[in-house]
Amino acid sequence: NIGNPILPAIHGGVIGGFMELSSAMYLLVSQSTLKFPKIIDFSLDYLRAGANQDTYAYCNVTRQGGRVANVEVHAWQESRDKPIALARAHFLLED
């Protein structure tokens, strides 16, 4: 899971996958349906290198309609005030 062994820093794909899955799980838990939401689009901004330590994510549904939901995700390690990445995910909600 280490992308740069010199730093060492977590691989960006690991961070992206963690954030995408976090947003999908958050949406699944906050919905009344048992169907897993289908990803439409995922946009990720890396802000700083992720160290080889525990990483946390905070998710927030910014907009939800009948068929589509938008989720904002913040990933951090040492402090919630210093995110390592920010993401926006768009999901298709199926009945």
Side-chain angles (χ1 to χ4, degrees):
N1 293 337
I2 302 299
N4 185 344
I6 296 171
L7 291 178
I10 299 173
H11 190 279
V14 173
I15 295 171
F18 167 67
M19 294 177 77
E20 183 178 331
L21 187 58
S22 296
S23 61
M25 294 301 294
Y26 179 80
L27 196 55
L28 183 65
V29 169
S30 66
Q31 300 300 309
S32 59
T33 182
L34 297 177
K35 291 188 178 179
F36 201 77
K38 184 177 181 182
I39 189 83
I40 298 172
D41 182 48
F42 188 79
S43 176
L44 178 60
D45 297 324
Y46 296 100
L47 304 177
R48 55 180 53 91
N52 186 18
Q53 62 188 47
D54 291 344
T55 305
Y56 307 94
Y58 168 77
C59 301
N60 183 35
V61 176
T62 56
R63 183 174 179 191
Q64 180 177 346
R67 297 198 49 163
V68 178
N70 299 339
V71 181
E72 185 176 290
V73 188
H74 299 241
W76 78 95
Q77 291 181 321
E78 295 177 1
S79 170
R80 197 170 178 173
D81 296 330
K82 295 180 181 179
I84 62 169
L86 301 175
R88 288 150 310 282
H90 305 116
F91 291 94
L92 176 64
L93 305 174
E94 302 202 26
D95 295 335

